[in-house]
């Protein structure tokens, strides 16, 4: 079984991110993950724009995959999101990057782009190993 298959098997127990929102795990590595989401009507707010929580959920799940796959359990303790632009197509891609991994805490930066590689959001997340 590949790492990607193992990650999908483990995270299928996430009852929100994958089945409810449609997030997919596209790649995993050591303290790394790339996830994507195809936008549809369920992701829009009343103004017809992508709900801010969609971006955050995508980033939070990408952090969860990167920090928990083949790692000790880790949860978010602080997270900050900056919205950078509006997606120019229907695909969002989220990629994590480990900044610092300490004995009890870790820091990741998660970037979100659209399918044309335009920046949409960036998230800084601090996690704690539980």
């Amino acid at each position: 079984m590949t790492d990607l298959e193992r990650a999908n098997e483990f995270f299928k127990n996430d009852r929100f991110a994958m089945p409810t929102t449609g997030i997919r795990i596209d790649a995993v590595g050591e303290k790394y993950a790339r996830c994507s989401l195809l936008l549809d009507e369920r992701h829009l707010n009343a103004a017809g724009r992508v709900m801010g929580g969609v971006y955050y959920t995508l980033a939070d799940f990408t952090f969860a995959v990167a920090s928990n796959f083949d790692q000790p359990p880790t949860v978010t303790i602080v997270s900050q999101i900056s919205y950078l632009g509006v997606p120019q197509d229907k695909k969002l891609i989220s990629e994590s990057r480990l900044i610092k991994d300490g004995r009890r805490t870790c820091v990741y930066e998660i970037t979100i782009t659209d399918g044309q590689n335009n920046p949409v959001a960036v998230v800084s997340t601090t996690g704690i190993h539980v």
Side-chain angles (χ1 to χ4, degrees), residues 49-64:
R49 301 284 186 167
V50 178
M51 174 66 78
V54 172
Y55 302 112
Y56 181 77
T57 298
L58 177 58
D60 189 52
F61 185 70
T62 305
F63 164 76

Side-chain angles (χ1 to χ4, degrees), residues 31 63 66-68 71-77 98 100-108 126-130:
K31 300 176 184 177
F63 164 76
S67 65
N68 285 280
Q71 304 294 323
T74 303
V75 297
T76 301
I77 55 174
L98 176 67
K100 169 89 167 102
D101 196 14
R103 204 167 25 99
R104 291 280 295 148
T105 62
C106 58
V107 177
Y108 281 77
T126 301
I128 187 164
H129 306 300
V130 294

